[in-house]
Amino acid sequence: MARTFKGLVDFGAAGASWGMPGGAVEASVVPGASGIEFSVAKAAPLCVDYAQVVDLRLLNYYVHLVTDAGTVVISQLGKGTEDFFENAYDALNACCAKAFFAQGQPLMEAEGDYAYDEGGEERRSHAKFALYEDALFVYPHDMGARRVPLCFSDEPLVQRFSTTLRLRTGEWYSAARLGKDTDPFNRRLAAARKSCVERWAAAHADLEAHLTERLGETYLPRYQALCSTGARVVCGLFDAAAAGDDSEDAADPGFWFAAIGQGVAAVELAIGQAAATYLYEFDLPCDFESSLRRAMEAVGDHREVILLDDDAIREKPLCRMLVDRCAPVRFLREHNVGRLVHSGSWEDSVRAFLAGGR
């Protein structure tokens, strides 16, 4: 059960929009599972969900909760100040793990410094790390949390003070100053990455070897129609954690295939249910295939994250957190220009779209 802390809270400029009094007021504060909960006399209970949190900082025994509506300052928590901060930090991270669709328990957790570079955008600070069998999660105290997919990574580069994981698309992520956890972290990261890459490659080889059978009567005509357009057709899987699971009770996680033309693409989800063909436009040069593979692996069987409109995403805090923290998912959402239902005119429509180019 989440712990309750008592202190003073100044809701600042955001207070009025939340129905909270101005100035510093006495309050009970709880770092809950989905957000920071506030109880103030003569005001309705308030929960600031973690999707709204931009930063969480402890400065001179004042906790600054920076949100997209303004900064909330929490003080006079006494000896519980550091406990509150750690509780809130861990609760934020747990919510990020849900948003990243973490599967199972971490293989290892550690804490230290981090740095990463995503297409020229660099960040570095302090973070907590959680290693899963399919990804490394990086949890700083702000919106910079990341899920680093192991299936797309090169072998970790271990240097004197840091360990760096580089993706094949150029982004890199490093962990440093892990103390006594350094050597165990390096060993487990290398082993998890090797296992995940091998499973991912084997599962894709199996998909390609049995593609006609996997396509079946429903998807084979659509696949053949896309191939006949002259566009480059590729296929892939969703779930790195499930890749290679050939147990009898393992469910078919489905797969996707796409026709990629000059600045346009048509993507089909082979997930065993009624769907549509999703259309994308993008500026050249652009490695659309890499972004597509990254996004599909990131969402797994939660395809709604790439398909729902912006208003619907705003109503789902976990989906919003993933979109804010995963560039490939944002890329797909931002470049979607519509969809084609599977009607009698589908083939002519998709052919015309792919022929149009940009």
Side-chain angles (χ1 to χ4, degrees), residues 104-122:
Q105 296 299 313
L107 303 175
M108 181 175 180
E109 295 178 306
E111 186 170 354
D113 293 342
Y114 83 95
Y116 60 73
D117 185 321
E118 297 177 322
E121 179 185 346
E122 294 189 24

Side-chain angles (χ1 to χ4, degrees), residues 197-283:
V197 167
E198 289 175 350
R199 293 197 317 273
W200 193 239
H204 275 81
D206 183 74
L207 173 64
E208 293 179 4
H210 300 91
L211 184 58
T212 300
E213 178 184 348
R214 293 283 296 274
L215 287 165
E217 296 180 357
T218 300
Y219 297 104
L220 182 58
R222 300 172 197 168
Y223 181 83
Q224 292 172 331
L226 293 180
C227 289
S228 71
T229 65
R232 182 168 60 91
V233 178
V234 297
C235 61
L237 298 168
F238 291 103
D239 192 346
D245 185 355
D246 55 2
S247 59
E248 292 184 1
D249 59 348
D252 185 346
F255 62 100
W256 55 265
F257 54 93
I260 304 175
Q262 293 297 308
V264 292
V267 178
E268 189 83 23
L269 308 182
I271 53 178
Q273 61 190 51
T277 303
Y278 297 91
L279 307 178
Y280 298 87
E281 292 183 351
F282 48 91
D283 294 329

